[in-house]
Amino acid sequence: MPIELLLGFGAVAFVVAVMYNSLVSKKNEIENAVGGVHSYLKKRADLIPSLVATVKQYAAHETKLLTDLTQARASMESGLSGADNLPQADSMMSQMFGRVIAVAENYPELKANENFLNLQASLNEIEGQLSAARRTYNSAVVAYNTAIESIPTNMIASALGYKRKPVFQVTVAEAERPDIAKLFGQTGS
Amino acid sequence: MSAIDTLRERAAKTAEFCQEKLWPLVDAHNEKHKIDLTEFRRRLKQCLPLIVGGLATVFIATHSKTPSEGLRFIGLLGYLALGVSAILLGPEIRKNAMKTIERFKAQMFLQRELKQRMISYLDPSFRLNQNPTFPEKTFQTCDLFDSSCDLKRAYDEFHGTIGETKFVMTEIGTFEKKTTRDSKGKTQVTYVPLFRGLLFKAEFNKNFHGQTFVKTDRHEKSFGRLARAAQRIAGSVQKSRLVELESPDFEATFKVTSTDSTEARYILTPDFMERLLSLKNRRGVAVQAAFVDSEIILAVPHPTDFFELKHGPEDLTRSCEHMASEFVEIIELVDLLDLGNRLSKPQTPRQVGAS
């Protein structure tokens, strides 16, 4: 076999390998980003026992809210383990936190409680991190979707059976979630 | 009224403060360190014939084409006249030289005192560091500059608190040594400025553990996607990787690298990106930022001396007003970047170090 042909095959094989690796790396980045989102969802769900305990001290008769909170946490955990619908559980949990903050408005002592304030700050911190994790996921998905639809990587992607992945979208419930900052009118300066 | 509003209000009344509190200081300084040259002038008048005569005779004696004993004697007389003048004028010259040095030292002290009073007037929490050292640690960790510079200088350093946000601001300059050789083979060393401006460090309103850098992107505007691809490849072999964000305007202006892309997005929310962009547009200079150890470090170029006070009566008021407005503009960063918003930060008291 002439050397030119061998070199040609080698170059093609190299380019294919680079494209293949790039696709695999993009796919893995998505999985990594999903892992990040899940870890923040778990972290947020883990705030619920402390939140329930704090709310109970000042608003023990809000039994419906407390039960719903516990239920939301259970749904989230089963969603994270794959047994339940995760986006739905996520949306339910976001709504629950909104409700807790709204209820706290009726209980000035609860609103002023240091534990509650710290929980609220932690919740805001996790919400921020969660939002960042979702943006990381979306960025990874956009790069992946672009790669599997662009020439020539689309040929390798279709051979590997790679399909488009959906980006995270804000649900109606999330879009309507109360602005905690405005609700509490609390800034540092 | 917020801390920044109070600051703005005080800055607007700088002229009154200057007239009431600073002018008396300058007047007292001028009175105390006045250099009276009357006695010196009187003695100079007395000695003038001696000096002129002495110089003339020395000149004649040394430049004569036919030297003789008589000329040598005249020359000696000339030297004698000059010596007598030196004895008569010497103590006065020495006294005035000492006074001038003393006045210069006092002026340096006054300059610091005026600055300190001025910034304490703006906000009692603000402090001037009398002996600033170059913030080497901040300079190295922020990774915004070429660390191979040959000369580093710190000019002024201020500490303070706005609301709950502690900050430290250092005016710095970094220089590169350039050696040039002229046609005669004579070498000349010059220091070319690499950066002159402010290093502003403040506690950030969020906790984070990684490092995120927001640098001016000079290449993407010129080379577009090609530059981004090159940055991506370069980033893949470095500790900090390129982070591509959603805002096209922000992406075209800045290059973001981070040790943790999710954390970079946590810091650089869409709102914060807007704020950084508006800060850059407002100042019209290449503002850069680093986020390290839950602190923000901003590098704001400022080619001229930032906190310079002049002593003349009109100059002092004008330069104080200028300093106040510059100071407010920098402190407004805290407001503009929303650093005072502690809503997402569980309480963890910490110190913002000067280094």
Side-chain angles (χ1 to χ4, degrees), chain B residues 12-52:
Chain B
K13 291 178 185 164
T14 299
E16 288 165 36
F17 167 77
C18 195
Q19 199 158 3
E20 275 174 32
K21 306 281 179 191
L22 301 187
W23 279 20
L25 265 184
V26 177
D27 288 343
H29 163 87
N30 289 341
E31 190 55 43
K32 190 179 172 189
H33 298 281
K34 203 167 156 184
I35 297 173
D36 188 4
L37 294 173
T38 327
E39 180 58 22
F40 176 72
R41 281 197 201 103
R42 193 182 64 81
R43 287 203 184 183
L44 188 65
K45 253 184 214 169
Q46 287 174 349
C47 295
L48 206 59
L50 272 177
I51 296 169
V52 174

Side-chain angles (χ1 to χ4, degrees), chain B residues 252-268:
Chain B
T253 314
F254 297 108
K255 181 181 97 172
V256 179
T257 54
S258 180
T259 51
D260 182 338
S261 63
T262 302
E263 202 171 75
R265 288 182 174 92
Y266 174 55
I267 294 164
L268 299 165

Side-chain angles (χ1 to χ4, degrees), chain B residues 258-300:
Chain B
S258 180
T259 51
D260 182 338
S261 63
T262 302
E263 202 171 75
R265 288 182 174 92
Y266 174 55
I267 294 164
L268 299 165
T269 59
D271 176 54
F272 196 80
M273 284 192 271
E274 280 297 314
R275 286 171 186 271
L276 261 182
L277 261 180
S278 82
L279 169 66
K280 193 245 163 201
N281 294 335
R282 205 162 112 179
R283 290 204 66 89
V285 287
V287 175
Q288 303 194 93
F291 302 85
V292 182
D293 198 19
S294 296
E295 284 173 353
I296 177 174
I297 300 164
L298 281 168
V300 185

